[in-house]
Amino acid sequence: MTVIPDTLRENVRLLGELLGDTLLETRGPELFRKVEEIRRLGKAVNTNENSDPQPLIDVLSSLEDDDVLPIVRAFSQFLNLANIADQQFFSSAEANQREAVEDTLEQLVDTLGKDSVADALRNLNIELVLTAHPTEVTRRTLIRKHERIAEDLADLKRNDLLRYERTELKSNLRRTVNEIWHTNEIRDERPTAVDEAKWGFAVIENSLWHAVPQFLRELDRTARSRLGQGLSVDASPFHFYSWMGGDRDGNPNVTHKVTQEVILLGRWMAADLYLKDIHDLAGDLSMSEASADLMAEVGETPTPYRAKLHGLRARLEHTLAWAERRVQGETLAAPDDVIVTRDDILAPLMTCYDSLLECGMSRIANGALLDCIRRVHCFGVNLVPLDIRQDSERHILAIDEVTRYLGLGDYKDWDEDQREAFLLEQLGSRRPLIPRHWEPGADTREVLDTARILAEEPAEVLSSYIISMAKQPSDVLAVALLLKESGLDWNVPIVPLFETLDDLDRSVSVMEKLWSLPWYREYCGGKQTVMIGYSDSAKDAGKLTATWAQYKAQERLVKLASDNDIHLMLFHGRGGTVGRGGGPVEKAMASQPPGSVRGAIRVTEQGEMIRYKFGMPRVAVRSLSIYVAATLRATLEPSAAPKAEWRDLMEAMSKASLERYRSVVRHDERFVPYFRSLTPEQELGMLALGSRPAKRKATGGVESLRAIPWVFAWMQVRLNMPSWLGARQALEHGLATNPELLQDMVENWTFFSSFLDLLEMVLGKADGSITAYYEQQLVPPELHELGEDLREDLKASEVLLNQIKKQQVLLESDPLLAQSILVRNPYTDPLNYLQAELLKRARKTGNLDSQLERALKVTMAGISAGMRNTG
């Protein structure tokens, strides 16, 4: 079996030793001995399949209360350090001897020729939407320290280090590990929506601001080498957007004032970053030779480039000062020269660029100046244009309040035809619908104020208006009317989000009706984005059924768009976990229906995945490379359409999976009490997580629980149920009815083989014996039968998957992941056993003392680190 690479193993060992030294220094040898004993017992359990966990449980049960918190912290922090070592290694040259893009271009050119590949690269449009994470458990303070450790680990691998430099780097590592130990890893206060937005801006400032031009420079070099032509000056295959401060779906903390503040913060931070670039450029562009055009603009001066940039610097300074005062709460008009569009920044930069080229200074032109130009194309005037997201029901109730006030009837009670007729009539009318001085209820006022804020802001700071739980054409028309009534003078793209199984099935009929309406066709201008929901569809129908429904919806939407001459972009609302559509980018892209990518794709990237993929410049460059390679492959060499017999079998398997999933989650009266007693779902409220509540509504049961804490809770107890429930019945059906056809699907249908790979990953991370321990400690005996039934499904799914993949054990084809799980389990398992004990105490007594309550919170963070994701 392949083992962990030496470099990675050395880094994990080094960080573990530093943490051990810190523990010895701060807590003494007795506690250190206990930690080592627990680690040894945890390792023994995971080394031998038949090992008894009871000795480990006995030691954990005998711990004194004062020892629980430092021991929990030690194991949790080791898991975080192991993750840092992982992240650093997989972004290193050792792990990436060949670049993803270089390999992809070489292979595509061999089969398709240079011109086709160059054309696809030229038209690439990858939109990444940064979203806050309601279960992000790591504090920003610690994230920064983790980044420092990764940087020092990378520096330690340099071959030119002098002895004192190596000693200093190790001293820095030791100091940072000490800082982490003495820092509270659990937030005491819940972050606000503005805090989350600031975190998103920080990722851009500290990582993506540097990574994007670095990546484009490397992509340009590769394109010149493989295609014979480089990138254009305005090349921008990536654009970044944000939901932070715009996503008000079920989050009462995101108000119109928050949205306005976040937009202003983005403009302020963008102006600040561009100012720094301009300051550096003014120092670089000291040459006196310039084109006639430039000299005509600046007059006789020995430093024409600096003179040209001086005007831009002044505009940026005015923009910065104005935005800062607005953020601080002052009401003042924007100065005439405030930056409003990216052309305001690009025009003077391009004048300098063209002049340098004309005067034979191409090397200078294509240095820092080109980097700045490419940043402007990528990040615009506020770093990340904002998406607005709101639930369709809020728009319905807002218009209902208007129609009732005007005596027109109850809009919410009208059928779809009545709603559409009314909305189209009002959209075509020149008269305002909403009385100017009318005072609606608070919820309606907030909807209208949000629309008003959008009308006041420059178009470039906004991206789309997304309607969650979209069900009918009127949901889209309602938003258009509300925006029209606000005075918005441009057509904001309106994006329906189809989330549940029924909504996915209905998506085609909704879009067909919309695209048949002359008013809407003119509004959308032949371009449409449709969002596919992964989280709620999986929670509604189970992973396999939801995945198949998403695939079919995309197929039909692509065909419908083609028939209607609509340029369609599919927006994938993926989360970090497999249960919410997550997984490796390469597999996700390769498994898309043929024709659904076509060089353009939009994907959400959530909190912890933003950190893992884009948190450090080197990691970000690698992630951007993977996205470009995967999108090019999906565009130029899409997977073949499934055979009719594959579709028929998949349909039957999906039906079997859905029946099992809903029989448990919806129809078994034992399920809700089992879920509530087994998992820490109710205790999640103790953690100061994101700004958004765990539920869409303050009241309601599991059905109102958001998909993210739903997955979080099951992952904490190591059952990972949302990612596999129903898979056993589907696979059994396939094997029983047509095993040869099933094998054909495994070998020749990327969509199905990718699903099995992701299923294998979540099964590999699950541990039924630990779930059984939670059950024994926390669940009433009358519910144990359900737990046994679920764990039997888990084990049977593993056996079936190994049989289908013709392997002896899970993850046989991914030994590195198998080893990674094996290394983490001795540290994760004790956290699970201690969490179960702490939950038992908390529920028995009604509360825990402050030290044990903090220990419980740390177990949640530590298990998340061990599983490499939360929700």
Side-chain angles (χ1 to χ4, degrees):
M1 182 184 231
T2 302
V3 295
I4 295 175
D6 287 343
T7 300
L8 178 55
R9 185 181 296 278
E10 289 167 9
N11 285 344
V12 171
R13 184 184 296 117
L14 172 61
L15 294 177
E17 289 172 354
L18 294 176
L19 180 61
D21 291 347
T22 299
L23 199 61
L24 269 172
E25 293 167 6
T26 57
R27 304 295 305 196
E30 182 62 22
L31 189 83
F32 179 79
R33 182 192 61 76
K34 291 178 181 179
V35 168
E36 283 297 291
E37 182 183 14
I38 293 167
R39 186 186 67 81
R40 179 180 58 78
L41 291 171
K43 188 173 182 180
V45 171
N46 283 277
T47 302
N48 188 336
E49 188 176 342
N50 298 316
S51 291
D52 183 5
Q54 196 57 47
L56 172 61
I57 295 170
D58 290 342
V59 169
L60 293 170
S61 300
S62 67
L63 291 176
E64 297 178 10
D65 284 359
D66 288 344
D67 288 341
V68 172
L69 179 59
I71 286 174
V72 164
R73 294 189 70 224
F75 281 88
S76 177
Q77 290 195 15
F78 174 82
L79 289 165
N80 276 310
L81 293 173
N83 287 344
I84 297 167
D86 252 11
Q87 188 181 33
Q88 189 279 323
F89 172 78
F90 286 108
S91 67
S92 68
E94 180 181 348
N96 300 279
Q97 295 179 1
R98 290 294 301 273
E99 294 294 331
V101 171
E102 188 168 5
D103 277 352
T104 298
L105 292 183
E106 185 176 309
Q107 293 163 12
L108 291 174
V109 165
D110 286 344
T111 56
L112 300 172
K114 293 182 179 180
D115 290 343
S116 295
V117 179
D119 186 58
L121 182 60
R122 190 181 306 112
N123 293 303
L124 214 56
N125 181 25
I126 301 168
E127 299 187 354
L128 301 180
V129 183
L130 310 182
T131 73
H133 201 307
T135 51
E136 169 62 77
V137 292
T138 309
R139 293 179 61 197
R140 287 206 301 271
T141 299
L142 289 175
I143 289 172
R144 287 192 288 270
K145 297 182 189 301
H146 293 171
E147 290 169 354
R148 275 166 39 197
I149 289 176
E151 291 166 0
D152 287 342
L153 288 175
D155 284 344
L156 272 176
K157 298 306 170 186
R158 286 170 44 195
N159 296 322
D160 62 342
L161 287 176
L162 300 174
R163 185 168 62 181
Y164 84 88
E165 290 175 319
R166 185 173 298 278
T167 301
E168 188 171 338
L169 283 170
K170 288 188 176 181
S171 177
N172 291 343
L173 283 169
R174 184 179 299 276
R175 186 184 311 110
T176 306
V177 171
N178 264 261
E179 290 174 4
I180 290 172
W181 178 259
H182 291 288
T183 300
N184 185 354
E185 56 271 89
I186 301 299
R187 283 190 295 251
D188 295 321
E189 295 183 4
R190 187 179 293 273
T192 67
V194 174
D195 290 334
E196 291 170 337
K198 288 179 179 177
W199 178 81
F201 292 140
V203 170
I204 293 174
E205 179 180 12
N206 298 327
S207 179
L208 287 169
W209 192 256
H210 310 285
V212 166
Q214 288 169 3
F215 169 71
L216 290 176
R217 191 174 296 284
E218 177 60 19
L219 182 60
D220 179 73
R221 184 200 64 77
T222 304
R224 290 181 188 280
S225 170
R226 300 297 175 187
L227 305 178
Q229 53 185 292
L231 303 181
S232 62
V233 176
D234 61 353
S236 187
F238 285 95
H239 291 94
F240 295 90
Y241 302 88
S242 178
W243 280 11
M244 302 181 203
D247 182 9
R248 59 237 314 117
D249 175 22
N251 188 350
N253 301 310
V254 178
T255 65
H256 69 283
K257 292 182 179 179
V258 165
T259 295
Q260 186 174 49
E261 182 177 354
V262 169
I263 289 172
L264 289 167
L265 272 171
R267 296 180 72 179
W268 181 88
M269 291 194 69
D272 185 54
L273 288 171
Y274 288 127
L275 263 174
K276 293 172 183 174
D277 274 8
I278 299 306
H279 179 270
D280 292 341
L281 283 173
D284 293 344
L285 302 182
S286 56
M287 53 289 307
S288 58
E289 185 181 359
S291 67
D293 288 344
L294 177 55
M295 295 304 292
E297 290 187 28
V298 301
E300 291 299 324
T301 173
T303 55
Y305 299 95
R306 290 176 178 175
K308 183 62 179 174
L309 293 177
H310 179 76
L312 174 57
R313 176 161 42 191
R315 292 193 67 181
L316 287 167
E317 288 171 344
H318 293 166
T319 302
L320 183 68
W322 166 78
E324 185 174 17
R325 291 173 65 186
R326 285 292 309 278
V327 168
Q328 291 171 352
E330 291 188 46
T331 302
L332 68 162
D336 292 339
D337 62 349
V338 72
I339 299 292
V340 175
T341 72
R342 69 187 66 208
D343 285 341
D344 293 339
I345 310 174
L346 280 172
L349 295 176
M350 288 305 301
T351 299
C352 293
Y353 183 84
D354 292 340
S355 174
L356 288 169
L357 290 184
E358 185 177 327
C359 295
M361 293 182 276
S362 61
R363 287 188 183 276
I364 298 172
N366 290 314
L369 177 57
L370 179 58
D371 287 348
C372 185
I373 290 168
R374 285 179 168 161
R375 285 186 180 117
V376 178
H377 282 291
C378 181
F379 297 112
V381 297
N382 69 329
L383 302 183
V384 277
L386 207 61
D387 277 353
I388 304 299
R389 184 169 78 131
Q390 181 59 280
D391 190 280
S392 60
E393 186 69 16
R394 289 291 296 274
H395 307 131
I396 291 171
L397 294 177
I399 294 180
D400 180 72
E401 191 169 351
V402 173
T403 58
R404 285 189 290 107
Y405 176 79
L406 296 174
L408 300 175
D410 294 350
Y411 175 85
K412 64 181 173 56
D413 294 333
W414 297 349
D415 63 27
E416 179 62 17
D417 288 343
Q418 287 176 291
R419 290 182 182 181
E420 289 178 23
F422 170 77
L423 294 169
L424 288 169
E425 179 186 358
Q426 297 303 320
L427 285 165
S429 172
R430 296 183 179 181
R431 296 190 308 274
L433 173 68
I434 300 174
R436 179 174 298 178
H437 301 295
W438 173 53
E439 285 299 326
D443 285 351
T444 297
R445 169 51 59 199
E446 178 57 37
V447 169
L448 297 176
D449 283 344
T450 297
R452 176 180 53 80
I453 290 297
L454 304 186
E456 294 173 356
E457 296 296 335
E460 285 193 16
V461 307
L462 301 170
S463 173
S464 305
Y465 196 118
I466 297 158
I467 310 166
S468 59
M469 293 297 171
K471 300 180 183 303
Q472 301 292 350
S474 60
D475 291 330
V476 174
L477 299 176
V479 170
L481 178 58
L482 290 168
L483 294 175
K484 169 181 176 283
E485 290 293 314
S486 73
L488 197 71
D489 59 3
W490 64 286
N491 294 348
V492 176
I494 302 174
V495 180
L497 165 52
F498 299 106
E499 299 182 77
T500 67
L501 184 62
D502 287 345
D503 292 343
L504 286 168
D505 290 342
R506 191 167 45 238
S507 62
V508 175
S509 63
V510 171
M511 298 314 302
E512 184 173 28
K513 180 60 182 294
L514 278 170
W515 293 337
S516 72
L517 300 173
W519 184 91
Y520 185 74
R521 284 188 69 94
E522 182 178 352
Y523 180 93
C524 72
K527 295 180 179 180
Q528 178 73 54
T529 300
V530 173
M531 188 168 181
I532 305 296
Y534 287 74
S535 302
D536 283 285
S537 58
K539 181 170 175 281
D540 176 42
K543 176 62 180 169
L544 186 143
T545 302
T547 302
W548 179 229
Q550 292 149 12
Y551 188 95
K552 291 186 294 182
Q554 291 180 68
E555 280 186 315
R556 293 160 61 205
L557 285 167
V558 167
K559 183 180 185 306
L560 181 68
S562 177
D563 292 345
N564 284 272
D565 197 26
I566 297 288
H567 182 276
L568 175 68
M569 175 180 278
L570 290 168
F571 182 3
H572 300 269
R574 296 181 181 276
T577 55
V578 172
R580 300 185 46 251
V585 170
E586 308 95 308
K587 291 185 185 298
M589 297 291 281
S591 61
Q592 298 307 305
S596 64
V597 177
R598 295 183 180 174
I601 195 164
R602 201 173 212 251
V603 183
T604 51
E605 290 285 4
Q606 276 192 331
E608 63 182 10
M609 302 316 296
I610 296 172
R611 178 157 53 89
Y612 290 152
K613 292 181 181 180
F614 307 109
M616 295 182 291
R618 292 187 74 184
V619 177
V621 168
R622 177 172 178 262
S623 297
L624 296 175
S625 177
I626 290 170
Y627 256 115
V628 165
T631 307
L632 282 173
R633 287 189 184 278
T635 299
L636 295 172
E637 291 186 341
S639 301
K643 302 175 185 176
E645 54 267 33
W646 292 352
R647 303 180 73 92
D648 291 342
L649 183 55
M650 190 67 194
E651 199 68 46
M653 291 167 65
S654 173
K655 184 178 180 181
S657 178
L658 177 64
E659 184 176 336
R660 169 59 175 169
Y661 181 87
R662 286 187 171 171
S663 73
V664 173
V665 175
R666 288 195 181 184
H667 305 309
D668 193 323
E669 61 184 14
R670 301 169 298 174
F671 177 75
V672 171
Y674 180 80
F675 168 67
R676 288 254 157 86
S677 56
L678 179 79
T679 75
E681 177 257 331
Q682 296 179 78
E683 287 79 11
L684 290 181
M686 296 167 58
L687 286 174
L689 298 170
S691 69
R692 192 169 71 178
K695 293 182 178 180
R696 280 192 166 89
K697 299 177 181 178
T699 58
V702 171
E703 74 285 348
S704 69
L705 192 70
R706 288 190 171 279
I708 298 174
W710 161 257
V711 173
F712 184 106
W714 286 110
M715 187 166 288
Q716 287 284 301
V717 299
R718 304 283 288 280
L719 192 59
N720 302 347
M721 189 206 77
S723 299
W724 57 259
L725 182 60
R728 171 189 182 175
Q729 288 70 28
L731 298 179
E732 283 178 341
H733 179 88
L735 284 169
T737 57
N738 199 330
E740 295 82 9
L741 184 61
L742 187 68
Q743 196 60 44
D744 185 29
M745 291 163 62
V746 173
E747 295 173 1
N748 298 302
W749 191 12
T750 307
F751 164 79
F752 187 65
S753 62
S754 294
F755 171 80
L756 292 184
D757 288 345
L758 295 175
L759 176 63
E760 183 177 16
M761 183 173 73
V762 296
L763 293 177
K765 288 185 176 184
D767 191 320
S769 65
I770 288 179
T771 307
Y773 183 77
Y774 277 84
E775 184 179 288
Q776 175 191 346
Q777 297 297 310
L778 302 169
V779 178
E782 63 270 20
L783 302 177
H784 285 192
E785 185 180 355
L786 174 59
E788 293 168 1
D789 189 25
L790 290 172
R791 291 193 299 281
E792 183 183 337
D793 263 14
L794 174 67
K795 185 62 181 176
S797 299
E798 178 181 336
V799 172
L800 287 165
L801 189 62
N802 285 335
Q803 178 184 343
I804 290 169
K805 297 192 79 171
K806 299 178 181 179
Q807 60 189 21
Q808 296 300 310
V809 294
L810 286 177
L811 300 173
E812 195 172 282
S813 61
D814 194 348
L816 200 58
L817 176 58
Q819 286 279 301
S820 176
I821 293 171
L822 194 62
V823 166
R824 284 173 172 76
N825 280 349
Y827 299 87
T828 311
D829 294 357
L831 294 175
N832 281 115
Y833 290 123
L834 284 170
Q835 184 184 85
E837 174 63 27
L838 291 169
L839 287 171
K840 182 180 179 180
R841 289 198 207 178
R843 292 173 184 179
K844 184 176 182 179
T845 63
N847 64 350
L848 295 170
D849 66 42
S850 59
Q851 288 289 91
L852 291 181
E853 181 178 311
R854 185 181 167 199
L856 176 57
K857 295 176 184 178
V858 174
T859 65
M860 296 179 186
I863 293 166
S864 297
M867 295 292 98
R868 293 299 302 268
N869 38 36
T870 53

